[in-house]
Amino acid sequence: DAEITQSPRHKITETGRQVTLACHQTWNHNNMFWYRQDLGHGLRLIHYSYGVHDTNKGEVSDGYSVSRSNTEDLPLTLESAASSQTSVYFCASSSLGEQFFGPGTRLTVL
Amino acid sequence: GQQVMQIPQYQHVQEGEDFTTYCNSSTTLSNIQWYKQRPGGHPVFLIQLVKSGEVKKQKRLTFQFGEAKKNSSLHITATQTTDVGTYFCAASKYGNKLVFGAGTILRVKS
């Protein structure tokens, strides 16, 4: 069955370190998205991609970057982790309409 | 940027009571989607509404899209403990990018 996976599921890091969160989907979807979820804010879009080599900034993109070298993967990199980036991160993919979400990565920046 | 306001933030009901969450936008929407997130889980797609005034039902859940395509609601009849979770609306003005409401947390007392 097609799926979307994220790794790691939990990560603790220190401020200033570079961190990369992986997202892999086997739906063969062109569209992929990264969100962060914080209490009271719902899901906020960080970056998104509509296809290979396409990346776009979302509403909270500062301090984050993504790259899309193939259809299946959209890794999210925190260039220099900050405590404000402690959050739960969800990756999602879609073809038309409905978005399929991964299980999430809980990131703690100390 | 586009904002979607969702109310209430939190609702605690007795099992068997009804529940409604509302979503409002200041701009006309292309479509609206609803997602459910169980505690500790990831968002799962429930439905998409596209047409002005559209009403869709899924068992005890009724979804409505306003005539002006600026608001939507989700109504649950006779809540059950399995309905516990956070309900999000997600609006699309154009393209495949979604803007999520902050969510309504539903707790059900048995």
Side-chain angles (χ1 to χ4, degrees), chain A residues 16-86:
Chain A
R17 290 191 180 267
Q18 183 181 77
V19 177
T20 296
L21 308 182
C23 175
H24 179 82
Q25 53 100 2
T26 59
W27 292 96
N28 200 34
H29 286 159
N30 284 326
N31 308 320
M32 295 185 73
F33 308 85
W34 272 104
Y35 297 91
R36 60 177 289 173
Q37 184 173 32
D38 305 287
L39 193 62
H41 290 279
L43 292 150
R44 292 183 290 176
L45 185 63
I46 306 172
H47 282 286
Y48 59 102
S49 168
Y50 287 152
V52 176
H53 302 310
D54 175 72
T55 61
N56 305 279
K57 294 181 178 180
E59 65 176 306
V60 290
S61 61
D62 286 350
Y64 303 94
S65 64
V66 293
S67 61
R68 187 89 181 270
S69 58
N70 58 54
T71 301
E72 295 81 18
D73 299 289
L74 187 71
L76 176 71
T77 297
L78 286 68
E79 305 294 344
S80 177
S83 57
S84 60
Q85 294 177 309
T86 292

Side-chain angles (χ1 to χ4, degrees), chain B residues 30-59:
Chain B
S30 172
N31 62 69
I32 197 156
Q33 299 178 14
W34 287 91
Y35 290 77
K36 177 183 178 180
Q37 184 178 23
R38 295 183 185 276
H42 59 275
V44 174
F45 175 82
L46 294 175
I47 207 160
Q48 176 171 281
L49 304 173
V50 178
K51 299 177 182 176
S52 168
E54 190 169 15
V55 178
K56 287 189 176 180
K57 293 191 175 184
Q58 291 179 350
K59 297 183 180 178

